Amino acid sequence: MLYCSFMIMIISTVVMMISSALSKKTITDREKNSPFECGFDPKGSARWPFSLRFFLIAVIFLIFDVEITLLLPLVITMLMANIYSWTFIGLFFLLILLLGLYHEWSQGALDWTN
């Protein structure tokens, strides 16, 4: 059993080393190393930093977008459910959404002036 495990480790290590040695590209081409912009030379550097505030707003938008899609079945089940439980669940979910929005607002995540 130990001999078989040892042989498997040796064989897999040798195969990984051979594949790593064979996959090395020695020819570097300027066109292959440059970013692709519809076949034209790039106007500027492709490594510019992006706005972290924009990224945060995009993530918040995605979170609230997913939560809105969770609200859609609530409208469909309105006629099939008890009106009191339906109202309580809907208001509770909206309250959670509004508390999350208030928290993001109070933390300054939605303030673009800073």
Side-chain angles (χ1 to χ4, degrees), residues 3-98:
Y3 175 73
C4 201
S5 298
F6 185 69
M7 286 304 294
I8 290 173
M9 284 180 37
I10 294 286
I11 291 172
S12 63
T13 304
V14 168
V15 168
M16 283 191 296
M17 289 171 50
I18 290 173
S19 68
S20 176
L22 291 177
S23 69
K24 297 286 182 186
K25 292 183 181 179
T26 57
I27 301 172
T28 56
D29 188 13
R30 183 182 76 84
E31 291 298 323
K32 286 186 179 180
N33 288 335
S34 67
F36 181 72
E37 288 186 10
C38 301
F40 299 106
D41 288 333
K43 290 184 177 181
S45 174
R47 302 289 179 221
W48 285 349
F50 61 95
S51 172
L52 197 58
R53 290 219 178 260
F54 176 76
F55 177 74
L56 185 60
I57 292 293
V59 169
I60 290 171
F61 171 76
L62 285 176
I63 290 170
F64 279 101
D65 195 38
V66 168
E67 290 172 347
I68 292 300
T69 60
L70 292 174
L71 279 174
L72 288 177
L74 196 61
V75 176
I76 296 171
T77 60
M78 182 173 64
L79 296 176
M80 295 180 281
N82 183 5
I83 193 68
Y84 296 115
S85 64
W86 181 85
T87 305
F88 175 74
I89 291 171
L91 289 177
F92 185 69
F93 194 75
L94 285 174
L95 179 69
I96 291 173
L97 284 177
L98 289 174

